[in-house]
Amino acid sequence: MTVVAVPGSKSVTARALFLAAAADGVSTLHRPLLSDDTDGFAEGLAGLGYDVVRGAREWRITGRPAGPAVDEADVYCRDAATAARFLPALAAAGHGTFRFDASAQMRRRPVAPLTRALRELGVDLTHEEAEGHLPLTVVADGIKGGAIELDASLSSQFLTALLLTGPLTAEGLRIKVTGIVSVPYVEITLAMMRRFGAEVTRDGDTFTVAPGGYRATDYPVEPDASTASYFFAAAALSGRTAIVPGLGTGALQGDLRFVDVLREMGAEVEIGEGATTVTGTGRLSGVTVAMRDISDTMPTLAAIAPFADGPVRIEDVYNTRVKECDRLEACAENLRRQGIRVETGRDWIEIHPGTPAPVEISCHGDHRIAMSFAVAGLRTPGTTFDDPGCVKKTFPEFHEFFAGIREQWGV
């Protein structure tokens, strides 16, 4: 039985940084995630003139309800989709000229649904190269607000960026969603907005956000449920027990539902008030599961799928094709190189039982591919990675941390 201290949630940390920057007063974030993505987000805020003081376990942000403290800035968002999608919306609610760029990987990822919505709200915004992609420049003069339609079927982050910005508009926002993915992430957004004092409601596909801003808050960041999936999967795969404190019945993050998939496959799962425990039983059954709402854990399941006693079919995960890489295809490619039979379609992957061969995993610069196949490496000694350092995006110490867990378990 091993207690696994998982780092703070990337999703919660990014939202908390936005909310704290927009709030009236000084907010303190407790146990935020320290990673390349969150560091990039915090640096982006600093570049926009916000006062961000970062300690080892606490970050203090002095909010500016009126928007950035500078009237001109050039912000580099690294690989962070949250920074590349949230910060332009935050800046648009202020006054000045703000340019946003990112890594080549992030430049390939779309921002069009968000920037189209901002333009409909009257924001002067220009894509410098490919339409719908970074780099982009925002000439901000506040946002009046109003009613818009949004397609969030590729990423819920487009909706989250607009929701977070809603209280900063003069008249509030009414957003009708025509398509949506990863709904639990939207629920995180709504809960956190309310914690920071905003008034936001949902009626079916329509979200209504009242104007009025945010108030400063002390906010504890819960452990990252997507990261926890690797340790839960490792326990299920190896017949050991992993306990993750801080993720229980009151957790905000939908990715905790990954343990329900492991339960269906045969693992023992207990979700308590303050922790979740997964124990492997020595068997994994085949399963068919739709993972649209927990798609960040799709690679975790795909990597361990060959060890099930029947096919594992993962459905409704088209949005994984527009993440850091085409995750669906990256999983299929690596599994085939390991000698595993795999079929894929536009939004699904089916993986058949087999004994994976040790190969060098092609990470495609994607932290989730690296961490997922590291878990499968428990049963495939000799597995290596072409880019092990890509885990810095969310968990820089992952490989050392995971090696410590392996040593405790003797696997």
Side-chain angles (χ1 to χ4, degrees), residues 230 299-300 302-304 306 330-335 338 361-362 368-378 380 383-385 402:
Y230 309 122
T300 317
I304 67 170
C331 288
E333 171 200 333
N334 282 304
L335 287 165
Q338 290 182 315
I361 299 299
S362 297
R368 300 216 180 277
I369 299 300
M371 291 188 278
S372 296
F373 281 89
V375 173
L378 290 172
T380 310
T383 298
T384 58
F385 304 89
F402 193 67

Side-chain angles (χ1 to χ4, degrees), residues 190-205:
L190 299 180
M192 293 184 65
M193 289 173 66
R194 292 171 183 136
R195 179 72 178 269
F196 277 78
E199 185 179 326
V200 54
T201 60
R202 178 183 183 181
D203 182 9
D205 294 332

Side-chain angles (χ1 to χ4, degrees), residues 254-267 269 271 278 287 289 294:
D255 276 4
L256 184 57
R257 297 180 196 172
F258 179 73
V259 300
D260 295 332
V261 180
L262 295 177
R263 180 191 283 119
E264 187 176 350
M265 296 178 75
V269 174
I271 304 176
V278 173
V287 67
V289 58
I294 57 170

